[in-house]
């Protein structure tokens, strides 16, 4: 039985408290965490009346249709695949900061972050949204239209590597501003390399799940996803083509800023 109860909605976004901490909490472990300067109990950091709730209450500014899609997605059996909403807001803010006009999303699921990015792009901007499962995407598509951004979204239902190759073949290298990678982990390295070619200097690549539920600390030989992520983390750490920040938000996200 868990140490304390936590809502499903709150479990989706772990803010800056860190994935390793959140993993321990959800597993029912009792331990202290000192991210806020002094030891804190798990109950103090997560749950009703917690610091986590305070962070959400005082930072999350969610478009009404975006919130509608998030709540709709939370009812789906695979809701854990959705990007953390606090992380999505950070990425949207970064896209606005660099005046992004063209974005790539690899891994759409129900389209929460696709909508999130489309909302901050200019009216003539576009998000190339890559996925292989149209059933999931169909959940969010009506809400893209409701939000008035459907025309900004170029949905491509095919392997993402194929779409990225098509963009490169069309001469679009160096013309995209932002890319978000959140799909099959074994192919992350290939996605990263292709996105690095497509992103302009000063553009950003956001790579999700880089802490992989805390399993990244000691990836087992049988955990192909954790092994792939670990190798990519080591590669990007040494990659002189980018500046980086790895943030303990959601399941961990690396921001790579192309030089």
């Amino acid at each position: 039985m868990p140490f304390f109860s936590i809502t499903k909605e709150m479990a989706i976004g772990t803010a800056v408290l860190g994935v390793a901490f959140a993993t321990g909490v959800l597993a029912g472990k009792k331990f202290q965490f000192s991210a806020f300067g002094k030891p804190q109990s798990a109950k103090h950091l997560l749950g009703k009346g917690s610091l986590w709730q305070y962070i959400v209450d005082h930072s999350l500014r969610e478009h009404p249709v975006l919130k509608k899609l998030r709540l709709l997605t939370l009812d789906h059996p695979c809701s854990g695949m959705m990007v953390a909403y606090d992380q999505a807001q950070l990425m949207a803010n970064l896209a606005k900061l660099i005046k992004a006009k063209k974005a790539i999303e690899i891994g759409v699921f129900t389209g929460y972050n696709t909508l999130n990015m489309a909302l901050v792009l200019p009216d003539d901007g576009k998000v190339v949204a890559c996925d292989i499962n149209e059933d999931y995407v169909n959940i969010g598509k009506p809400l893209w239209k409701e939000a008035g951004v459907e025309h900004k979204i170029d949905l491509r239902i095919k392997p993402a590597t194929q779409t990225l190759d098509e963009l490169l073949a069309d001469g679009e290298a160096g013309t995209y501003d932002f890319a978000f990678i959140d799909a099959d982990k074994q192919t992350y390295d290939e996605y990263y390399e292709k996105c690095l070619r497509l992103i302009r200097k000063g553009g950003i690549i956001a790579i999700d799940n880089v802490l992989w539920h805390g399993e990244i600390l000691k990836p087992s030989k049988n955990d192909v996803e954790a092994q792939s992520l670990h190798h990519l983390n080591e590669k990007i750490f040494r990659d002189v083509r980018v500046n980086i920040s790895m943030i303990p938000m959601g399941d961990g996200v690396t921001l790579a800023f192309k030089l």
Side-chain angles (χ1 to χ4, degrees):
M1 178 178 172
F3 175 43
F4 65 92
S5 62
I6 176 174
T7 67
K8 183 180 180 183
E9 179 177 351
M10 290 177 64
I12 295 298
T14 55
V16 294
L17 302 186
V19 65
F21 165 73
T23 302
V25 168
L26 296 176
K29 298 177 181 178
K30 301 181 182 180
F31 57 86
Q32 302 291 308
F33 188 72
S34 58
F36 293 91
K38 62 180 181 179
Q40 304 283 346
S41 69
K43 188 174 182 179
H44 186 57
L45 290 173
L46 287 174
K48 187 176 180 181
S50 66
L51 285 172
W52 158 242
Q53 188 63 58
Y54 183 90
I55 290 170
V56 172
D57 291 345
H58 292 81
S59 67
L60 186 64
R61 298 176 177 177
E62 200 172 29
H63 187 283
V65 182
L66 196 59
K67 180 178 181 179
K68 186 176 179 180
L69 179 52
R70 171 168 60 85
L71 296 179
L72 183 64
T73 303
L74 286 173
D75 287 332
H76 194 279
C78 299
S79 60
M81 292 169 58
M82 183 175 69
V83 64
Y85 47 80
D86 50 328
Q87 177 185 327
Q89 179 171 281
L90 172 63
M91 293 190 294
N93 285 335
L94 288 171
K96 286 191 287 187
L97 183 66
I98 64 172
K99 295 179 171 57
K101 187 174 180 179
K102 295 172 65 178
I104 299 168
E105 182 170 33
I106 302 172
V108 175
F109 188 38
T110 64
Y112 178 84
N113 192 62
T114 311
L115 175 57
N116 174 60
M117 296 302 292
L119 284 166
V120 301
L121 296 183
D123 196 57
D124 60 346
K126 74 170 179 177
V127 181
V128 177
C130 310
D131 211 303
I132 57 173
N133 189 322
E134 196 164 10
D135 290 337
Y136 291 154
V137 179
N138 285 338
I139 295 172
K141 284 173 72 175
L143 296 177
W144 298 349
K145 185 175 182 178
E146 182 178 335
V149 298
E150 186 180 32
H151 65 285
K152 300 183 192 179
I153 299 170
D154 178 5
L155 177 63
R156 307 203 184 184
I157 303 296
K158 63 178 73 174
T161 51
Q162 183 179 337
T163 295
L164 298 177
D165 283 339
E166 289 170 355
L167 297 177
L168 289 167
D170 289 340
E172 295 195 63
T175 67
Y176 284 82
D177 306 290
F178 196 98
F180 179 47
I181 301 173
D182 184 17
D184 54 304
K185 313 312 169 191
Q186 298 96 313
T187 318
Y188 262 33
D189 195 341
E190 189 173 358
Y191 295 149
Y192 173 70
E193 287 297 333
K194 292 182 188 298
C195 284
L196 200 57
R197 294 174 60 191
L198 287 161
I199 293 293
R200 64 168 172 84
K201 290 184 178 180
I204 302 170
I205 302 174
I207 304 150
D208 203 21
N209 303 117
V210 295
L211 298 181
W212 201 234
H213 322 306
E215 296 299 324
I216 203 71
L217 294 173
K218 292 183 179 180
S220 69
K221 293 181 179 179
N222 297 326
D223 191 339
V224 179
E225 290 87 358
Q227 290 284 353
S228 298
L229 289 164
H230 176 63
H231 292 319
L232 182 62
N233 288 341
E234 290 192 327
K235 171 182 174 174
I236 295 177
F237 176 63
R238 296 175 175 80
D239 194 343
V240 297
R241 299 171 294 177
V242 295
N243 284 333
I244 62 169
S245 288
M246 183 183 285
I247 304 174
M249 176 178 273
D251 194 20
V253 57
T254 290
L255 300 175
F257 303 83
K258 185 174 176 178
L259 298 174

